[in-house]
Amino acid sequence: MDSEINPKYQSSAAIVEQVLKQVLSVVVPGISVASLCSYADSLVSAYTKSVHRKESEIERGASYPATVSVNNIIQNCSPSASEDTLLQEGDVVKIEVGAHIDGYVASAAHTVVATNHPGVVVEDRRADAISAAYYGSEVAARMIRPGQSARNLVKALGLVAAGFGCTVAEDTFTCQLDRFVMSGPNTFANRFNPDVLAPDFTFETGEMYTIDCTMSTGSGVARASTLDPAVYQRDVNHQYSLKLRTSRALFSEVCKRYSVFPFLMRDIVDANQSIKAGVAECVKSQLLVPFAVTMDKKAGSVVAQFKLTIMCHYSGPIRITRALPMAGNIRSATVVPEGSEIGQILALDCGQAALPDLPRLKTLIQAPVPTQQQQQQQSSAMDTC
């Protein structure tokens, strides 16, 4: 089975798993959201450079910048220093990481509750959202098998969401992968829309997919947040003759540094503020596409996310990224009955590709810590106890 999977997919998956584990280990109140994103991006860069070193000429790195989306934010959040926030006790934190080696992509996401009291059980609507996203991802994974239809997968996700009193978030997708392709022709929305024709195709042996299972306790309807887009991507199929010198300089720099994968605009403009004014024309001319930071339209809602990369094998679904368990303190009052339609899908087998051991990093990447003020507050609280 493993011989049928490109080893670069497996290397990418091992990196994603390791980075997720390291970032999740430092998710506590008082940690800066921007520092978590930067930490994850640094780890991805370092680990991708540490593997397949004999092929020094190949492209490698993040297939998507690391994002940390909190509470009702749905996706694409990698805040700048001016828009940074600190995690608070009880925040629902979604971390997404993507990596590629030579264009072979793996990505995954996980959701936890930021807390200094991991023994305290979470039983409220946060538990419903996290459980819905977790079980939704497990159901979807088991449906990536030859002959199963995308339409049935969308239906199943809707059933899981409804069972936990949640909704599938808008603008979240199951994406077909290929080398240097993150959204192939069989990509489809995970949220059922009665005004849009449901996907009507079946999965075939050898296909690769990422499944982004994002659930909300609110309406699931996405709207742009007040945060500026941080993630951009080139539209390599679009051409335009830019008029402004700053726009030409900006786009030239983007083309030198990035191919088809999304990137952080601040990595370009922070080094040369003079070309920042060129962003507007590049976006207007559709040479660059911004990824809006979206949030649930309903105030006070909670959004959770689990994401995985999977292969449709003739013997059944084979996970490329390894499943990390849902936190033990998450306990929704809703239980999936074994005999239900969803329970029967969860009982199906789902294989796991072997992942290689990663080399030890030669240079230590310092993990972020809570702010000094937060640390003092935590220390005072412990002294009081």
Side-chain angles (χ1 to χ4, degrees):
M1 177 187 70
D2 290 318
S3 62
E4 301 172 51
I5 304 172
N6 190 300
K8 291 173 182 176
Y9 273 126
Q10 294 164 290
S11 295
S12 297
I15 290 167
V16 165
E17 177 190 24
Q18 181 60 34
V19 173
L20 262 183
K21 285 181 176 179
Q22 289 185 237
V23 177
L24 287 167
S25 70
V26 295
V27 174
V28 293
I31 284 285
S32 149
V33 172
S35 70
L36 289 175
C37 293
S38 177
Y39 181 47
D41 288 333
S42 297
L43 288 171
V44 169
S45 177
Y47 280 119
T48 54
K49 291 175 183 175
S50 72
V51 297
H52 298 276
R53 298 187 68 178
K54 291 183 179 180
E55 300 178 77
S56 58
E57 76 287 352
I58 63 174
E59 185 178 335
R60 62 186 74 209
S63 60
Y64 193 91
T67 60
V68 178
S69 304
V70 181
N71 295 331
N72 69 330
I73 295 180
I74 295 175
Q75 60 187 351
N76 302 329
C77 185
S78 178
S80 62
S82 62
E83 296 181 315
D84 194 16
T85 59
L86 301 180
L87 294 182
Q88 304 297 312
E89 177 71 35
D91 280 346
V92 174
V93 184
K94 301 171 286 294
I95 299 173
E96 180 173 347
V97 176
H100 81 95
I101 302 294
D102 198 21
Y104 295 95
V105 172
S107 61
H110 198 80
T111 300
V112 293
V113 174
T115 181
N116 288 316
H117 312 284
V120 175
V121 176
V122 178
E123 300 177 297
D124 53 23
R125 292 291 281 158
R126 293 174 297 172
D128 292 333
I130 294 172
S131 298
Y134 175 76
Y135 286 111
S137 68
E138 292 296 309
V139 164
R142 285 160 174 78
M143 297 184 74
I144 304 291
R145 58 182 67 239
Q148 182 59 271
S149 73
R151 182 175 295 176
N152 285 341
L153 190 154
V154 172
K155 176 186 174 184
L157 287 178
L159 289 175
V160 174
F164 287 91
C166 295
T167 56
V168 179
E170 276 187 342
D171 300 332
T172 57
F173 299 87
T174 294
C175 297
Q176 186 183 18
L177 297 177
D178 206 337
R179 187 181 178 214
F180 288 104
V181 176
M182 294 183 63
S183 185
N186 284 349
T187 294
F188 58 92
N190 292 330
R191 178 184 171 101
F192 174 73
N193 184 342
D195 298 325
V196 178
L197 189 64
D200 188 20
F201 66 89
T202 57
F203 304 115
E204 298 182 5
T205 297
E207 292 177 337
M208 302 285 294
Y209 289 90
T210 56
I211 303 171
D212 181 0
C213 187
T214 304
M215 302 286 191
S216 174
T217 60
S219 65
V221 176
R223 65 178 176 87
S225 74
T226 58
L227 297 174
D228 292 331
V231 181
Y232 288 74
Q233 185 177 24
R234 290 174 55 196
D235 184 345
V236 295
N237 297 314
H238 195 82
Q239 294 184 345
Y240 181 82
S241 181
L242 293 165
K243 296 176 175 59
L244 299 178
R245 180 180 56 81
T246 53
S247 303
R248 295 193 297 271
L250 172 70
F251 191 64
S252 175
E253 189 64 25
V254 169
C255 293
K256 288 177 185 177
R257 296 180 56 176
Y258 304 104
S259 59
V260 298
F261 294 112
F263 61 92
L264 291 172
M265 181 59 74
R266 61 175 172 267
D267 289 345
I268 296 288
V269 300
D270 283 359
N272 186 358
Q273 286 289 325
S274 66
I275 62 175
K276 186 175 182 179
V279 174
E281 187 186 10
C282 289
V283 171
K284 185 177 180 180
S285 63
Q286 300 176 28
L287 292 176
L288 296 179
V289 179
F291 288 74
V293 181
T294 58
M295 60 194 302
D296 193 292
K297 185 177 180 180
K298 184 178 179 182
S301 57
V302 176
V303 178
Q305 176 195 28
F306 287 84
K307 187 174 184 179
L308 57 97
T309 305
I310 196 159
M311 176 185 183
C312 182
H313 192 259
Y314 67 83
S315 64
I318 304 296
R319 289 179 184 271
I320 305 301
T321 50
R322 188 175 285 129
L324 299 180
M326 183 171 60
N329 65 334
I330 305 299
R331 299 179 193 172
S332 171
T334 300
V335 177
V336 179
E338 290 184 5
S340 66
E341 181 178 351
I342 297 305
Q344 292 176 24
I345 296 173
L346 287 171
L348 297 173
D349 289 335
C350 184
Q352 171 64 59
L355 300 184
D357 293 330
L358 296 175
R360 187 181 183 89
L361 294 181
K362 294 181 179 180
T363 303
L364 175 66
I365 297 175
Q366 189 66 46
V369 296
T371 63
Q372 185 176 3
Q373 179 182 7
Q374 188 72 25
Q375 288 176 323
Q376 291 173 347
Q377 291 173 350
Q378 292 170 5
S379 177
S380 299
M382 293 177 65
D383 292 340
T384 303
C385 296

